[in-house]
Amino acid sequence: MARLVTPSNDYQESYLQALVEFHEERRHLELGLATLRDRTTFARYIAALRAEEHLKASDHSGHVAQTNLWWVEDEHFVGRIALRHTLNAGLRSVGGHVGYEIRPTCRHQGHATAMLAAALPVAGSLGIDPALITCDVANTISRRVIEANGGRYAGRDADELHFWVPTS
């Protein structure tokens, strides 16, 4: 049974296998496979993901605090979801409160819909209600995931569709 978990060193091998899949799509190339194979480096990466929950608006990086969660099934990494605690100008246009992705070999199996459903109460517990979720105009699969979770179309900004999704 799939479930949300906090990113953990326990999933290193499965995460790296997923990263190979993303690299084949030319995504997440900034995450080096060779360096993340080292247990100490991977542990630092996990610590950095967890630290993103405590970013302050005053850090001037342009980033906002976010909770990172992983979707795992039978101890295998399937996908990830990021819950951004607040919105800045950029996120109001592209990105919104929630960003998610499923590893290529696990797509089209209902994982994204289930992962978003499981994460929405977590977003609500962070004081996010409703959550803004955006997707590319051409991404009909993501649009279906958002709408299956109660997303209501709220307009368009350039090539991004905007939806408000209740979290409670």
Side-chain angles (χ1 to χ4, degrees), residues 23-55:
H23 282 190
E24 289 171 356
E25 293 183 327
R26 309 297 299 154
R27 297 174 64 211
H28 300 300
L29 297 175
E30 75 283 3
L31 298 174
L33 277 166
T35 55
L36 288 178
R37 286 193 197 289
D38 176 73
R39 290 206 177 279
T40 302
T41 303
F42 193 80
R44 281 196 297 265
Y45 172 64
I46 295 299
L49 288 177
R50 290 181 176 179
E52 288 180 350
E53 290 187 40
H54 308 290
L55 290 175

PDB file of all heavy atoms in Angstrom, residues 23-55:
ATOM      1  N   HIS A  23      16.574  11.387 -15.057  1.00  0.00           N
ATOM      2  CA  HIS A  23      17.695  11.829 -15.898  1.00  0.00           C
ATOM      3  C   HIS A  23      17.479  11.425 -17.348  1.00  0.00           C
ATOM      4  O   HIS A  23      17.834  12.179 -18.266  1.00  0.00           O
ATOM      5  CB  HIS A  23      19.015  11.270 -15.373  1.00  0.00           C
ATOM      6  CG  HIS A  23      19.551  12.012 -14.191  1.00  0.00           C
ATOM      7  ND1 HIS A  23      20.809  11.805 -13.696  1.00  0.00           N
ATOM      8  CD2 HIS A  23      19.009  12.959 -13.382  1.00  0.00           C
ATOM      9  CE1 HIS A  23      21.020  12.590 -12.650  1.00  0.00           C
ATOM     10  NE2 HIS A  23      19.933  13.293 -12.436  1.00  0.00           N
ATOM     11  N   GLU A  24      16.911  10.259 -17.574  1.00  0.00           N
ATOM     12  CA  GLU A  24      16.625   9.823 -18.952  1.00  0.00           C
ATOM     13  C   GLU A  24      15.645  10.767 -19.634  1.00  0.00           C
ATOM     14  O   GLU A  24      15.656  10.894 -20.858  1.00  0.00           O
ATOM     15  CB  GLU A  24      16.104   8.385 -18.962  1.00  0.00           C
ATOM     16  CG  GLU A  24      17.183   7.373 -18.638  1.00  0.00           C
ATOM     17  CD  GLU A  24      16.661   5.962 -18.415  1.00  0.00           C
ATOM     18  OE1 GLU A  24      15.419   5.744 -18.426  1.00  0.00           O
ATOM     19  OE2 GLU A  24      17.508   5.065 -18.223  1.00  0.00           O
ATOM     20  N   GLU A  25      14.809  11.436 -18.852  1.00  0.00           N
ATOM     21  CA  GLU A  25      13.882  12.442 -19.382  1.00  0.00           C
ATOM     22  C   GLU A  25      14.510  13.838 -19.422  1.00  0.00           C
ATOM     23  O   GLU A  25      13.835  14.801 -19.742  1.00  0.00           O
ATOM     24  CB  GLU A  25      12.625  12.531 -18.507  1.00  0.00           C
ATOM     25  CG  GLU A  25      11.746  11.335 -18.522  1.00  0.00           C
ATOM     26  CD  GLU A  25      10.490  11.555 -17.689  1.00  0.00           C
ATOM     27  OE1 GLU A  25      10.526  12.283 -16.662  1.00  0.00           O
ATOM     28  OE2 GLU A  25       9.459  10.988 -18.059  1.00  0.00           O
ATOM     29  N   ARG A  26      15.782  13.921 -19.034  1.00  0.00           N
ATOM     30  CA  ARG A  26      16.518  15.191 -18.963  1.00  0.00           C
ATOM     31  C   ARG A  26      15.966  16.088 -17.852  1.00  0.00           C
ATOM     32  O   ARG A  26      15.941  17.310 -17.962  1.00  0.00           O
ATOM     33  CB  ARG A  26      16.498  15.938 -20.306  1.00  0.00           C
ATOM     34  CG  ARG A  26      16.917  15.121 -21.517  1.00  0.00           C
ATOM     35  CD  ARG A  26      18.322  14.619 -21.523  1.00  0.00           C
ATOM     36  NE  ARG A  26      19.298  15.689 -21.492  1.00  0.00           N
ATOM     37  CZ  ARG A  26      20.525  15.557 -21.001  1.00  0.00           C
ATOM     38  NH1 ARG A  26      20.921  14.407 -20.519  1.00  0.00           N
ATOM     39  NH2 ARG A  26      21.354  16.562 -20.991  1.00  0.00           N
ATOM     40  N   ARG A  27      15.533  15.471 -16.758  1.00  0.00           N
ATOM     41  CA  ARG A  27      15.013  16.205 -15.602  1.00  0.00           C
ATOM     42  C   ARG A  27      15.899  15.926 -14.397  1.00  0.00           C
ATOM     43  O   ARG A  27      16.478  14.863 -14.275  1.00  0.00           O
ATOM     44  CB  ARG A  27      13.573  15.762 -15.313  1.00  0.00           C
ATOM     45  CG  ARG A  27      12.644  16.102 -16.480  1.00  0.00           C
ATOM     46  CD  ARG A  27      11.257  15.573 -16.302  1.00  0.00           C
ATOM     47  NE  ARG A  27      10.630  16.210 -15.160  1.00  0.00           N
ATOM     48  CZ  ARG A  27       9.729  15.607 -14.393  1.00  0.00           C
ATOM     49  NH1 ARG A  27       9.357  14.376 -14.640  1.00  0.00           N
ATOM     50  NH2 ARG A  27       9.194  16.235 -13.382  1.00  0.00           N
ATOM     51  N   HIS A  28      15.964  16.879 -13.497  1.00  0.00           N
ATOM     52  CA  HIS A  28      16.728  16.785 -12.248  1.00  0.00           C
ATOM     53  C   HIS A  28      18.210  16.499 -12.492  1.00  0.00           C
ATOM     54  O   HIS A  28      18.862  15.818 -11.692  1.00  0.00           O
ATOM     55  CB  HIS A  28      16.129  15.751 -11.291  1.00  0.00           C
ATOM     56  CG  HIS A  28      14.722  16.069 -10.912  1.00  0.00           C
ATOM     57  ND1 HIS A  28      14.371  17.228 -10.267  1.00  0.00           N
ATOM     58  CD2 HIS A  28      13.576  15.384 -11.124  1.00  0.00           C
ATOM     59  CE1 HIS A  28      13.071  17.246 -10.081  1.00  0.00           C
ATOM     60  NE2 HIS A  28      12.568  16.150 -10.604  1.00  0.00           N
ATOM     61  N   LEU A  29      18.721  17.042 -13.563  1.00  0.00           N
ATOM     62  CA  LEU A  29      20.134  16.822 -13.877  1.00  0.00           C
ATOM     63  C   LEU A  29      21.053  17.496 -12.860  1.00  0.00           C
ATOM     64  O   LEU A  29      22.227  17.135 -12.752  1.00  0.00           O
ATOM     65  CB  LEU A  29      20.439  17.310 -15.299  1.00  0.00           C
ATOM     66  CG  LEU A  29      19.678  16.565 -16.403  1.00  0.00           C
ATOM     67  CD1 LEU A  29      19.964  17.199 -17.758  1.00  0.00           C
ATOM     68  CD2 LEU A  29      20.016  15.088 -16.402  1.00  0.00           C
ATOM     69  N   GLU A  30      20.508  18.447 -12.098  1.00  0.00           N
ATOM     70  CA  GLU A  30      21.308  19.111 -11.061  1.00  0.00           C
ATOM     71  C   GLU A  30      21.618  18.163  -9.902  1.00  0.00           C
ATOM     72  O   GLU A  30      22.513  18.428  -9.094  1.00  0.00           O
ATOM     73  CB  GLU A  30      20.590  20.363 -10.550  1.00  0.00           C
ATOM     74  CG  GLU A  30      19.412  20.107  -9.630  1.00  0.00           C
ATOM     75  CD  GLU A  30      18.112  19.655 -10.316  1.00  0.00           C
ATOM     76  OE1 GLU A  30      18.088  19.474 -11.553  1.00  0.00           O
ATOM     77  OE2 GLU A  30      17.117  19.478  -9.596  1.00  0.00           O
ATOM     78  N   LEU A  31      20.892  17.077  -9.801  1.00  0.00           N
ATOM     79  CA  LEU A  31      21.128  16.081  -8.755  1.00  0.00           C
ATOM     80  C   LEU A  31      22.042  15.000  -9.325  1.00  0.00           C
ATOM     81  O   LEU A  31      21.611  14.174 -10.127  1.00  0.00           O
ATOM     82  CB  LEU A  31      19.811  15.466  -8.279  1.00  0.00           C
ATOM     83  CG  LEU A  31      18.822  16.430  -7.634  1.00  0.00           C
ATOM     84  CD1 LEU A  31      17.510  15.721  -7.334  1.00  0.00           C
ATOM     85  CD2 LEU A  31      19.409  17.036  -6.380  1.00  0.00           C
ATOM     86  N   GLY A  32      23.274  15.021  -8.915  1.00  0.00           N
ATOM     87  CA  GLY A  32      24.252  14.081  -9.452  1.00  0.00           C
ATOM     88  C   GLY A  32      24.129  12.696  -8.856  1.00  0.00           C
ATOM     89  O   GLY A  32      24.198  12.524  -7.635  1.00  0.00           O
ATOM     90  N   LEU A  33      23.946  11.725  -9.708  1.00  0.00           N
ATOM     91  CA  LEU A  33      23.847  10.336  -9.254  1.00  0.00           C
ATOM     92  C   LEU A  33      25.104   9.886  -8.522  1.00  0.00           C
ATOM     93  O   LEU A  33      25.029   9.254  -7.465  1.00  0.00           O
ATOM     94  CB  LEU A  33      23.599   9.413 -10.441  1.00  0.00           C
ATOM     95  CG  LEU A  33      22.163   9.301 -10.902  1.00  0.00           C
ATOM     96  CD1 LEU A  33      22.078   8.659 -12.271  1.00  0.00           C
ATOM     97  CD2 LEU A  33      21.367   8.514  -9.889  1.00  0.00           C
ATOM     98  N   ALA A  34      26.262  10.200  -9.089  1.00  0.00           N
ATOM     99  CA  ALA A  34      27.521   9.736  -8.504  1.00  0.00           C
ATOM    100  C   ALA A  34      27.692  10.279  -7.081  1.00  0.00           C
ATOM    101  O   ALA A  34      28.084   9.537  -6.180  1.00  0.00           O
ATOM    102  CB  ALA A  34      28.696  10.135  -9.384  1.00  0.00           C
ATOM    103  N   THR A  35      27.374  11.544  -6.879  1.00  0.00           N
ATOM    104  CA  THR A  35      27.561  12.118  -5.542  1.00  0.00           C
ATOM    105  C   THR A  35      26.510  11.613  -4.560  1.00  0.00           C
ATOM    106  O   THR A  35      26.825  11.369  -3.390  1.00  0.00           O
ATOM    107  CB  THR A  35      27.541  13.660  -5.582  1.00  0.00           C
ATOM    108  OG1 THR A  35      26.326  14.096  -6.193  1.00  0.00           O
ATOM    109  CG2 THR A  35      28.724  14.206  -6.358  1.00  0.00           C
ATOM    110  N   LEU A  36      25.266  11.426  -5.021  1.00  0.00           N
ATOM    111  CA  LEU A  36      24.210  10.977  -4.111  1.00  0.00           C
ATOM    112  C   LEU A  36      24.319   9.495  -3.759  1.00  0.00           C
ATOM    113  O   LEU A  36      23.658   9.032  -2.834  1.00  0.00           O
ATOM    114  CB  LEU A  36      22.827  11.282  -4.702  1.00  0.00           C
ATOM    115  CG  LEU A  36      22.434  12.754  -4.698  1.00  0.00           C
ATOM    116  CD1 LEU A  36      21.080  12.944  -5.356  1.00  0.00           C
ATOM    117  CD2 LEU A  36      22.427  13.324  -3.286  1.00  0.00           C
ATOM    118  N   ARG A  37      25.161   8.756  -4.456  1.00  0.00           N
ATOM    119  CA  ARG A  37      25.388   7.348  -4.093  1.00  0.00           C
ATOM    120  C   ARG A  37      26.153   7.247  -2.767  1.00  0.00           C
ATOM    121  O   ARG A  37      26.015   6.266  -2.040  1.00  0.00           O
ATOM    122  CB  ARG A  37      26.161   6.624  -5.194  1.00  0.00           C
ATOM    123  CG  ARG A  37      25.320   6.334  -6.399  1.00  0.00           C
ATOM    124  CD  ARG A  37      25.993   5.342  -7.344  1.00  0.00           C
ATOM    125  NE  ARG A  37      25.392   5.366  -8.652  1.00  0.00           N
ATOM    126  CZ  ARG A  37      24.188   4.915  -8.967  1.00  0.00           C
ATOM    127  NH1 ARG A  37      23.428   4.401  -8.037  1.00  0.00           N
ATOM    128  NH2 ARG A  37      23.730   4.966 -10.202  1.00  0.00           N
ATOM    129  N   ASP A  38      26.917   8.267  -2.459  1.00  0.00           N
ATOM    130  CA  ASP A  38      27.644   8.304  -1.188  1.00  0.00           C
ATOM    131  C   ASP A  38      26.633   8.515  -0.056  1.00  0.00           C
ATOM    132  O   ASP A  38      25.838   9.463  -0.091  1.00  0.00           O
ATOM    133  CB  ASP A  38      28.665   9.454  -1.214  1.00  0.00           C
ATOM    134  CG  ASP A  38      29.367   9.605   0.102  1.00  0.00           C
ATOM    135  OD1 ASP A  38      30.212   8.754   0.424  1.00  0.00           O
ATOM    136  OD2 ASP A  38      29.038  10.582   0.820  1.00  0.00           O
ATOM    137  N   ARG A  39      26.650   7.637   0.938  1.00  0.00           N
ATOM    138  CA  ARG A  39      25.657   7.690   2.025  1.00  0.00           C
ATOM    139  C   ARG A  39      25.696   9.014   2.791  1.00  0.00           C
ATOM    140  O   ARG A  39      24.652   9.543   3.166  1.00  0.00           O
ATOM    141  CB  ARG A  39      25.859   6.525   2.981  1.00  0.00           C
ATOM    142  CG  ARG A  39      25.481   5.201   2.345  1.00  0.00           C
ATOM    143  CD  ARG A  39      25.064   4.191   3.413  1.00  0.00           C
ATOM    144  NE  ARG A  39      24.630   2.946   2.838  1.00  0.00           N
ATOM    145  CZ  ARG A  39      23.429   2.725   2.332  1.00  0.00           C
ATOM    146  NH1 ARG A  39      22.554   3.682   2.319  1.00  0.00           N
ATOM    147  NH2 ARG A  39      23.101   1.553   1.829  1.00  0.00           N
ATOM    148  N   THR A  40      26.885   9.539   3.015  1.00  0.00           N
ATOM    149  CA  THR A  40      26.996  10.806   3.747  1.00  0.00           C
ATOM    150  C   THR A  40      26.405  11.955   2.940  1.00  0.00           C
ATOM    151  O   THR A  40      25.681  12.799   3.481  1.00  0.00           O
ATOM    152  CB  THR A  40      28.471  11.090   4.088  1.00  0.00           C
ATOM    153  OG1 THR A  40      28.976   9.988   4.853  1.00  0.00           O
ATOM    154  CG2 THR A  40      28.621  12.373   4.877  1.00  0.00           C
ATOM    155  N   THR A  41      26.684  11.974   1.657  1.00  0.00           N
ATOM    156  CA  THR A  41      26.145  13.028   0.802  1.00  0.00           C
ATOM    157  C   THR A  41      24.632  12.910   0.707  1.00  0.00           C
ATOM    158  O   THR A  41      23.916  13.916   0.752  1.00  0.00           O
ATOM    159  CB  THR A  41      26.784  12.953  -0.606  1.00  0.00           C
ATOM    160  OG1 THR A  41      28.195  13.058  -0.460  1.00  0.00           O
ATOM    161  CG2 THR A  41      26.279  14.063  -1.503  1.00  0.00           C
ATOM    162  N   PHE A  42      24.128  11.692   0.577  1.00  0.00           N
ATOM    163  CA  PHE A  42      22.683  11.495   0.516  1.00  0.00           C
ATOM    164  C   PHE A  42      22.032  11.952   1.823  1.00  0.00           C
ATOM    165  O   PHE A  42      20.982  12.600   1.810  1.00  0.00           O
ATOM    166  CB  PHE A  42      22.335  10.032   0.222  1.00  0.00           C
ATOM    167  CG  PHE A  42      20.893   9.839  -0.148  1.00  0.00           C
ATOM    168  CD1 PHE A  42      20.450  10.117  -1.428  1.00  0.00           C
ATOM    169  CD2 PHE A  42      19.976   9.374   0.786  1.00  0.00           C
ATOM    170  CE1 PHE A  42      19.109   9.944  -1.778  1.00  0.00           C
ATOM    171  CE2 PHE A  42      18.642   9.199   0.453  1.00  0.00           C
ATOM    172  CZ  PHE A  42      18.200   9.487  -0.834  1.00  0.00           C
ATOM    173  N   ALA A  43      22.662  11.658   2.943  1.00  0.00           N
ATOM    174  CA  ALA A  43      22.126  12.092   4.239  1.00  0.00           C
ATOM    175  C   ALA A  43      22.073  13.621   4.315  1.00  0.00           C
ATOM    176  O   ALA A  43      21.115  14.184   4.854  1.00  0.00           O
ATOM    177  CB  ALA A  43      22.972  11.527   5.377  1.00  0.00           C
ATOM    178  N   ARG A  44      23.079  14.293   3.766  1.00  0.00           N
ATOM    179  CA  ARG A  44      23.061  15.767   3.731  1.00  0.00           C
ATOM    180  C   ARG A  44      21.934  16.274   2.830  1.00  0.00           C
ATOM    181  O   ARG A  44      21.290  17.275   3.137  1.00  0.00           O
ATOM    182  CB  ARG A  44      24.405  16.311   3.264  1.00  0.00           C
ATOM    183  CG  ARG A  44      25.472  16.311   4.352  1.00  0.00           C
ATOM    184  CD  ARG A  44      26.656  17.201   4.008  1.00  0.00           C
ATOM    185  NE  ARG A  44      27.366  16.747   2.832  1.00  0.00           N
ATOM    186  CZ  ARG A  44      28.446  15.968   2.836  1.00  0.00           C
ATOM    187  NH1 ARG A  44      28.951  15.581   3.978  1.00  0.00           N
ATOM    188  NH2 ARG A  44      29.017  15.615   1.713  1.00  0.00           N
ATOM    189  N   TYR A  45      21.710  15.584   1.719  1.00  0.00           N
ATOM    190  CA  TYR A  45      20.612  15.948   0.816  1.00  0.00           C
ATOM    191  C   TYR A  45      19.269  15.829   1.539  1.00  0.00           C
ATOM    192  O   TYR A  45      18.425  16.731   1.463  1.00  0.00           O
ATOM    193  CB  TYR A  45      20.659  15.049  -0.428  1.00  0.00           C
ATOM    194  CG  TYR A  45      19.481  15.200  -1.347  1.00  0.00           C
ATOM    195  CD1 TYR A  45      19.223  16.397  -2.011  1.00  0.00           C
ATOM    196  CD2 TYR A  45      18.599  14.140  -1.556  1.00  0.00           C
ATOM    197  CE1 TYR A  45      18.137  16.537  -2.861  1.00  0.00           C
ATOM    198  CE2 TYR A  45      17.512  14.262  -2.402  1.00  0.00           C
ATOM    199  CZ  TYR A  45      17.283  15.460  -3.054  1.00  0.00           C
ATOM    200  OH  TYR A  45      16.196  15.585  -3.894  1.00  0.00           O
ATOM    201  N   ILE A  46      19.069  14.744   2.260  1.00  0.00           N
ATOM    202  CA  ILE A  46      17.832  14.550   3.023  1.00  0.00           C
ATOM    203  C   ILE A  46      17.690  15.650   4.079  1.00  0.00           C
ATOM    204  O   ILE A  46      16.613  16.221   4.258  1.00  0.00           O
ATOM    205  CB  ILE A  46      17.804  13.149   3.689  1.00  0.00           C
ATOM    206  CG1 ILE A  46      17.774  12.043   2.622  1.00  0.00           C
ATOM    207  CG2 ILE A  46      16.633  13.014   4.655  1.00  0.00           C
ATOM    208  CD1 ILE A  46      16.571  12.076   1.712  1.00  0.00           C
ATOM    209  N   ALA A  47      18.771  15.960   4.774  1.00  0.00           N
ATOM    210  CA  ALA A  47      18.736  17.020   5.789  1.00  0.00           C
ATOM    211  C   ALA A  47      18.357  18.357   5.158  1.00  0.00           C
ATOM    212  O   ALA A  47      17.593  19.136   5.745  1.00  0.00           O
ATOM    213  CB  ALA A  47      20.085  17.110   6.498  1.00  0.00           C
ATOM    214  N   ALA A  48      18.866  18.621   3.965  1.00  0.00           N
ATOM    215  CA  ALA A  48      18.536  19.875   3.276  1.00  0.00           C
ATOM    216  C   ALA A  48      17.057  19.918   2.891  1.00  0.00           C
ATOM    217  O   ALA A  48      16.407  20.968   3.015  1.00  0.00           O
ATOM    218  CB  ALA A  48      19.420  20.040   2.038  1.00  0.00           C
ATOM    219  N   LEU A  49      16.511  18.792   2.441  1.00  0.00           N
ATOM    220  CA  LEU A  49      15.083  18.749   2.123  1.00  0.00           C
ATOM    221  C   LEU A  49      14.242  19.043   3.358  1.00  0.00           C
ATOM    222  O   LEU A  49      13.277  19.809   3.306  1.00  0.00           O
ATOM    223  CB  LEU A  49      14.694  17.372   1.560  1.00  0.00           C
ATOM    224  CG  LEU A  49      15.152  17.032   0.155  1.00  0.00           C
ATOM    225  CD1 LEU A  49      14.752  15.601  -0.202  1.00  0.00           C
ATOM    226  CD2 LEU A  49      14.588  18.012  -0.867  1.00  0.00           C
ATOM    227  N   ARG A  50      14.620  18.443   4.463  1.00  0.00           N
ATOM    228  CA  ARG A  50      13.872  18.657   5.710  1.00  0.00           C
ATOM    229  C   ARG A  50      14.016  20.096   6.211  1.00  0.00           C
ATOM    230  O   ARG A  50      13.080  20.657   6.780  1.00  0.00           O
ATOM    231  CB  ARG A  50      14.335  17.673   6.770  1.00  0.00           C
ATOM    232  CG  ARG A  50      13.906  16.256   6.474  1.00  0.00           C
ATOM    233  CD  ARG A  50      14.368  15.319   7.551  1.00  0.00           C
ATOM    234  NE  ARG A  50      13.881  13.967   7.328  1.00  0.00           N
ATOM    235  CZ  ARG A  50      14.161  12.964   8.116  1.00  0.00           C
ATOM    236  NH1 ARG A  50      14.927  13.151   9.178  1.00  0.00           N
ATOM    237  NH2 ARG A  50      13.696  11.771   7.853  1.00  0.00           N
ATOM    238  N   ALA A  51      15.181  20.693   5.995  1.00  0.00           N
ATOM    239  CA  ALA A  51      15.428  22.060   6.457  1.00  0.00           C
ATOM    240  C   ALA A  51      14.576  23.081   5.708  1.00  0.00           C
ATOM    241  O   ALA A  51      14.344  24.178   6.216  1.00  0.00           O
ATOM    242  CB  ALA A  51      16.910  22.397   6.311  1.00  0.00           C
ATOM    243  N   GLU A  52      14.089  22.723   4.532  1.00  0.00           N
ATOM    244  CA  GLU A  52      13.272  23.659   3.750  1.00  0.00           C
ATOM    245  C   GLU A  52      11.976  24.017   4.468  1.00  0.00           C
ATOM    246  O   GLU A  52      11.370  25.038   4.166  1.00  0.00           O
ATOM    247  CB  GLU A  52      12.968  23.082   2.366  1.00  0.00           C
ATOM    248  CG  GLU A  52      14.183  23.065   1.474  1.00  0.00           C
ATOM    249  CD  GLU A  52      13.918  22.492   0.095  1.00  0.00           C
ATOM    250  OE1 GLU A  52      12.831  21.914  -0.142  1.00  0.00           O
ATOM    251  OE2 GLU A  52      14.807  22.633  -0.754  1.00  0.00           O
ATOM    252  N   GLU A  53      11.566  23.225   5.436  1.00  0.00           N
ATOM    253  CA  GLU A  53      10.373  23.550   6.208  1.00  0.00           C
ATOM    254  C   GLU A  53      10.570  24.797   7.061  1.00  0.00           C
ATOM    255  O   GLU A  53       9.604  25.416   7.487  1.00  0.00           O
ATOM    256  CB  GLU A  53       9.990  22.386   7.126  1.00  0.00           C
ATOM    257  CG  GLU A  53       9.477  21.191   6.397  1.00  0.00           C
ATOM    258  CD  GLU A  53       8.954  20.120   7.342  1.00  0.00           C
ATOM    259  OE1 GLU A  53       8.297  20.467   8.338  1.00  0.00           O
ATOM    260  OE2 GLU A  53       9.221  18.940   7.070  1.00  0.00           O
ATOM    261  N   HIS A  54      11.822  25.154   7.319  1.00  0.00           N
ATOM    262  CA  HIS A  54      12.120  26.224   8.265  1.00  0.00           C
ATOM    263  C   HIS A  54      12.685  27.477   7.605  1.00  0.00           C
ATOM    264  O   HIS A  54      13.205  28.340   8.304  1.00  0.00           O
ATOM    265  CB  HIS A  54      13.085  25.711   9.334  1.00  0.00           C
ATOM    266  CG  HIS A  54      12.591  24.447   9.976  1.00  0.00           C
ATOM    267  ND1 HIS A  54      11.505  24.418  10.823  1.00  0.00           N
ATOM    268  CD2 HIS A  54      12.993  23.163   9.852  1.00  0.00           C
ATOM    269  CE1 HIS A  54      11.276  23.176  11.208  1.00  0.00           C
ATOM    270  NE2 HIS A  54      12.160  22.394  10.633  1.00  0.00           N
ATOM    271  N   LEU A  55      12.577  27.573   6.274  1.00  0.00           N
ATOM    272  CA  LEU A  55      13.042  28.778   5.600  1.00  0.00           C
ATOM    273  C   LEU A  55      12.236  29.968   6.085  1.00  0.00           C
ATOM    274  O   LEU A  55      11.035  29.873   6.318  1.00  0.00           O
ATOM    275  CB  LEU A  55      12.894  28.643   4.083  1.00  0.00           C
ATOM    276  CG  LEU A  55      13.822  27.676   3.377  1.00  0.00           C
ATOM    277  CD1 LEU A  55      13.454  27.591   1.897  1.00  0.00           C
ATOM    278  CD2 LEU A  55      15.268  28.116   3.522  1.00  0.00           C
TER     279      LEU A  55
END
